[in-house]
Amino acid sequence: MRFTLSSTALSNRLQTLAKVINSRNSLPILDSFLFNVSNNQLHITASDSENVMQSVLTLDQCDGDGNFAVPNRTILDALKELPEQPLSFEIDLNALTINVMYQNGRYNFTAQNADEYPRVQPIPDGATAITLSSSVLSDNITRTLFATAQDELRPVMNGIYFDLTAESLAIVASDGHKLVRDKNFSIKSDVPAAFILPKKPATLLKNVLSKDGGDVVIKFDARNAEIRFADGTLSCRLIEGRYPNYNSVIPQDNPNQLTVDRKALLGALRRVLPFASESSQLIRFHLESGKLELSSEDIDFATSAKESLVCDYNGQAMNIGFKGSSLSEILSNLESDEVIIKLADPSRAGVIIPVTQPENEDVLMLIMPMLLNE
């Protein structure tokens, strides 16, 4: 069997798929990419047994069809230093040998038997399907991924929750200290459905989804999901379990409202955070009409910092504490020039919303306060 394709196209696709493969695999064959040549196309598969990503490349020339597996390190190292040029593959499927010819040389290495590679179980026909723009999904994953937890006792918190209702598709993540909820009103269903996407497939999607606005189709049942996008397919195991009622923790009436320039607040936070206690990362907010003062201190090392910002604040004078790194992450994952921070009192959660919302979306972030020693 012979085929020819671009070295750059193959290298780029393999580097993306390589992120699926674990450093240690339960099955030795999972250290390899599965190559399937048929109908003048090369289908490449990478798997860690729970996540399977498949991608398709059109071949320049092709003579014969077949399957074989290629050790991932061997092929990646072989392609890494090659400039753009045609690569000609010759594969002996009986002897399992691969001969790769390029402009000034050749590589010879051994293939693996494709029959050992585990096959993907298709999602049943009755599964729920959601169609949305790749740019919207990419933006939502980027906005929520940082808020997922790493909690062995509550694995449901370790993923992104997709909650499809008659009103909207809500995409939610929380670690118990911060929460992100994005509602997309253009996607809804009379039949409610939900799933929890683990962190690894979410990160893989974030890296592969294009911003060109092509559609992504997500099919899912109680245990698995299949996500089809422009360059391929990702099949993954879902996190099973009941996600907490996220709406119940979002305050409905926080009367004290602060409007502030997002980048100015983020800059001030980054300047005072190095002077906070390393263990607590506590930043104190002092709020009064037209003024926000941020301060931090580390008693053990006798360091402190203070900075004032001009803002629009309507509410009672207040001192409230937040974890600086968490607030920094929240502000970094919003795009609006200004943000509104709604507060009730120093013991209740603060709600952060962008002044300018994305089209057909409602983005809300929540942060729990920290106790201040007055």
Side-chain angles (χ1 to χ4, degrees):
M1 179 176 66
R2 294 185 181 86
F3 60 87
T4 305
L5 77 169
S6 154
S7 61
T8 307
L10 179 60
S11 180
N12 290 345
R13 203 60 60 87
L14 290 179
Q15 284 176 26
T16 300
L17 292 168
K19 294 181 174 69
V20 181
I21 300 172
N22 287 335
S23 54
R24 292 182 178 179
N25 287 295
S26 53
L27 297 171
I29 192 69
L30 294 179
D31 289 332
S32 300
F33 296 110
L34 177 65
F35 280 32
N36 177 293
V37 180
S38 63
N39 299 324
N40 212 46
Q41 288 186 320
L42 172 61
H43 298 254
I44 312 169
T45 304
S47 172
D48 65 1
S49 78
E50 291 197 348
N51 303 287
V52 182
M53 190 180 280
Q54 297 173 308
S55 197
V56 182
L57 286 170
T58 300
L59 300 173
D60 298 331
Q61 292 178 310
C62 181
D63 177 15
D65 295 349
N67 303 323
F68 57 98
V70 185
N72 83 87
R73 288 262 55 93
T74 305
I75 188 78
L76 286 170
D77 290 343
L79 298 178
K80 192 162 53 178
E81 300 300 330
L82 286 179
E84 165 56 26
Q85 59 188 285
L87 291 182
S88 295
F89 281 72
E90 277 188 14
I91 298 95
D92 186 329
L93 294 174
N94 295 317
L96 289 176
T97 57
I98 301 174
N99 185 359
V100 183
M101 285 162 286
Y102 59 97
Q103 203 164 358
N104 297 313
R106 66 169 61 205
Y107 297 128
N108 291 295
F109 50 95
T110 306
Q112 306 284 319
N113 191 334
D115 295 339
E116 298 173 22
Y117 209 90
R119 296 294 184 254
V120 182
Q121 296 299 317
I123 300 285
D125 290 340
T128 308
I130 301 172
T131 303
L132 70 167
S133 155
S134 64
S135 56
V136 168
L137 181 58
S138 175
D139 288 345
N140 276 272
I141 289 175
T142 303
R143 255 198 303 269
T144 51
L145 196 56
F146 80 95
T148 53
Q150 288 182 313
D151 191 336
E152 291 181 7
L153 298 177
R154 293 189 298 171
V156 293
M157 307 293 283
N158 299 343
I160 299 174
Y161 183 53
F162 286 69
D163 186 17
L164 184 63
T165 65
E167 179 197 27
S168 64
L169 171 65
I171 300 175
V172 184
S174 176
D175 61 4
H177 303 287
K178 55 186 179 286
L179 177 143
V180 181
R181 186 208 65 194
D182 293 358
K183 280 187 174 180
N184 190 308
F185 298 107
S186 60
I187 303 161
K188 56 187 90 170
S189 170
D190 292 334
V191 182
F195 67 92
I196 307 170
L197 184 69
K199 202 175 295 189
K200 181 172 179 178
T203 306
L204 291 168
L205 280 172
K206 176 185 164 184
N207 292 331
V208 300
L209 289 177
S210 62
K211 299 284 187 178
D212 60 7
D215 282 347
V216 177
V217 179
I218 305 173
K219 283 176 67 179
F220 63 95
D221 58 17
R223 298 190 63 187
N224 299 292
E226 179 189 275
I227 301 151
R228 292 190 171 275
F229 48 95
D231 291 332
T233 307
L234 173 65
S235 301
C236 63
R237 185 94 42 88
L238 299 173
I239 298 174
E240 295 182 54
R242 188 178 181 86
Y243 203 81
N245 182 358
Y246 58 90
N247 285 313
S248 67
V249 300
I250 299 172
Q252 299 305 311
D253 182 30
N254 278 7
N256 303 303
Q257 186 164 304
L258 161 70
T259 305
V260 65
D261 183 280
R262 180 181 67 86
K263 289 181 179 175
L265 177 56
L266 185 57
L269 258 178
R270 287 173 174 165
R271 286 188 286 275
V272 301
L273 186 56
F275 297 88
S277 162
E278 198 171 318
S279 56
S280 70
Q281 300 184 346
L282 172 65
I283 304 293
R284 177 194 294 262
F285 277 46
H286 172 71
L287 286 156
E288 54 187 72
S289 182
K291 183 183 175 187
L292 165 62
E293 185 179 271
L294 279 68
S295 60
S296 62
E297 67 173 340
D298 187 341
I299 295 169
D300 295 339
F301 292 94
T303 61
S304 65
K306 188 179 286 187
E307 186 167 332
S308 296
L309 288 173
V310 176
C311 66
D312 181 7
Y313 178 62
N314 302 313
Q316 61 187 39
M318 186 190 305
N319 288 319
I320 187 168
F322 293 114
K323 185 173 182 177
S325 58
S326 294
L327 187 54
S328 230
E329 284 182 312
I330 285 173
L331 294 171
S332 298
N333 283 283
L334 290 168
E335 294 176 358
S336 175
D337 290 338
E338 291 188 311
V339 292
I340 296 169
I341 304 176
K342 296 180 178 180
L343 303 167
D345 60 58
S347 65
R348 289 164 66 186
V351 172
I352 302 170
I353 56 175
V355 169
T356 307
Q357 293 278 9
E359 188 179 356
N360 287 326
E361 292 188 50
D362 177 31
V363 177
L364 175 148
M365 301 198 183
L366 176 147
I367 184 167
M368 299 301 292
M370 295 180 72
L371 192 63
L372 289 175
N373 295 319
E374 297 290 356

